[in-house]
Amino acid sequence: MQLNVSDLRTVLAEIKAEPAHSVVMVLNHDLYEDEEGSYITERVWVEYGVAIVSTFRRNPCFDRMAGIDRLHRWPASHCQAYVDTRNHLSFKAFGKPPGDSALGLAIKAANRAGQPSSMEDLSYLWFARVLAAVSREAARCFGLQNCTYYSCLMQGVSGMRQAGEIPPYLCPVCYSTLGSELVLLQPVYRRGIEREDAWLGEHYAELKAFCNKWNQIPHFAAFEAWLGKRLEDRKSDGDGGETAGPSN
Ligand SMILES: [Zn+2]
């Protein structure tokens, strides 16, 4: 069954509790916006602080129909063979990421986890996709738009295939934008830049602990490894400082 997002928005905006900055609704139904489009998978209204994410099209049972190659989701989405095949081109190889880089460790962790095959693992994969979508829409509620700077959770994507090829983290520009928005909501007892830096460290640690619970599937295993390396780098760089933002 398809639900109209405008109807849902009207209800959500009315029932949203006053202290809430924004609300993201997750529902299992398919969505549509108007008679012209066949379906949409998420929608945000920044002015209302309301977003809606549908789980329906993210179900792994639709992967074949959507042209999704599960082996080449992030962090393996930049694999040269995969990119060449998709673009019908052949570029000169630039080599692999260093094995001890955050991205290199994420790739190794994803390979170790192996591909999900049981119903339970596939449900975790589905869960990971929904989480990424909710993260994107929540970030949009704080003013983030499509990112054109780096590899980033906020990169513009079209369809479920592309949605799985972007990383689950924000680039330095988007982290800084979101961080400065969020620290405005916190008590003012430290300088803004210090609060932003402290927030990033705490946020990485919380995300890493969360990913650890689900690391039997490649997406969470890779993100856990990536976050571990970034936390390590921050420590060796003097707890954040110049390299507070993420890199590959
Ligand atoms: Zn970005």
Side-chain angles (χ1 to χ4, degrees):
M1 181 168 69
Q2 276 191 316
L3 300 180
N4 181 280
V5 283
S6 301
D7 294 344
L8 293 167
R9 179 211 60 200
T10 305
V11 175
L12 275 178
E14 266 180 36
I15 63 173
K16 192 176 104 179
E18 188 57 46
H21 177 281
S22 48
V23 56
V24 181
M25 181 190 213
V26 178
L27 75 174
N28 296 328
H29 298 81
D30 203 15
L31 301 172
Y32 76 99
E33 185 154 28
D34 51 44
E35 302 302 326
E36 288 168 21
S38 56
Y39 70 89
I40 59 171
T41 50
E42 65 276 316
R43 178 77 159 84
V44 64
W45 296 267
V46 178
E47 64 276 29
Y48 293 98
V50 165
I52 299 171
V53 170
S54 164
T55 67
F56 185 76
R57 305 264 168 185
R58 297 179 164 86
N59 189 327
C61 77
F62 294 126
D63 282 2
R64 192 183 292 260
M65 201 166 71
I68 291 173
D69 172 358
R70 283 191 201 141
L71 276 175
H72 291 101
R73 308 294 79 204
W74 182 86
S77 48
H78 292 183
C79 162
Q80 192 192 354
Y82 175 66
V83 173
D84 285 350
T85 307
R86 290 231 63 92
N87 296 321
H88 309 290
L89 292 170
S90 182
F91 291 108
K92 184 174 174 288
F94 285 94
K96 293 181 178 174
D100 61 348
S101 69
L103 186 60
L105 292 171
I107 291 170
K108 281 183 195 164
N111 289 340
R112 271 198 306 274
Q115 285 303 301
S117 52
S118 68
M119 287 304 285
E120 190 183 17
D121 285 352
L122 288 169
S123 73
Y124 293 156
L125 174 64
W126 193 3
F127 178 53
R129 293 174 182 179
V130 173
L131 281 184
V134 169
S135 304
R136 275 170 66 90
E137 299 315 304
R140 288 195 197 286
C141 289
F142 284 92
L144 271 69
Q145 297 180 348
N146 280 354
C147 175
T148 55
Y149 298 105
Y150 299 101
S151 185
C152 177
L153 174 69
M154 300 309 293
Q155 275 175 245
V157 293
S158 175
M160 289 299 104
R161 180 180 60 73
Q162 288 185 10
E165 293 173 356
I166 59 173
Y169 52 80
L170 296 172
C171 76
V173 177
C174 293
Y175 248 119
S176 187
T177 307
L178 181 62
S180 64
E181 285 294 321
L182 289 176
V183 296
L184 291 175
L185 307 174
Q186 293 178 0
V188 183
Y189 58 88
R190 281 190 289 189
R191 286 188 309 139
I193 192 80
E194 290 170 2
R195 280 181 286 153
E196 197 178 309
D197 186 47
W199 167 75
L200 184 69
E202 287 163 17
H203 183 57
Y204 275 7
E206 284 166 8
L207 276 175
K208 184 172 179 294
F210 181 85
C211 289
N212 178 262
K213 293 182 199 167
W214 311 88
N215 65 7
Q216 63 269 53
I217 70 155
H219 180 87
F220 288 115
F223 197 20
E224 184 188 14
W226 187 92
L227 288 160
K229 176 62 176 166
R230 294 303 301 147
L231 282 166
E232 204 181 289
D233 290 347
R234 282 171 56 81
K235 216 172 257 178
S236 57
D237 290 338
D239 204 22
E242 297 289 311
T243 57
S247 69
N248 283 339

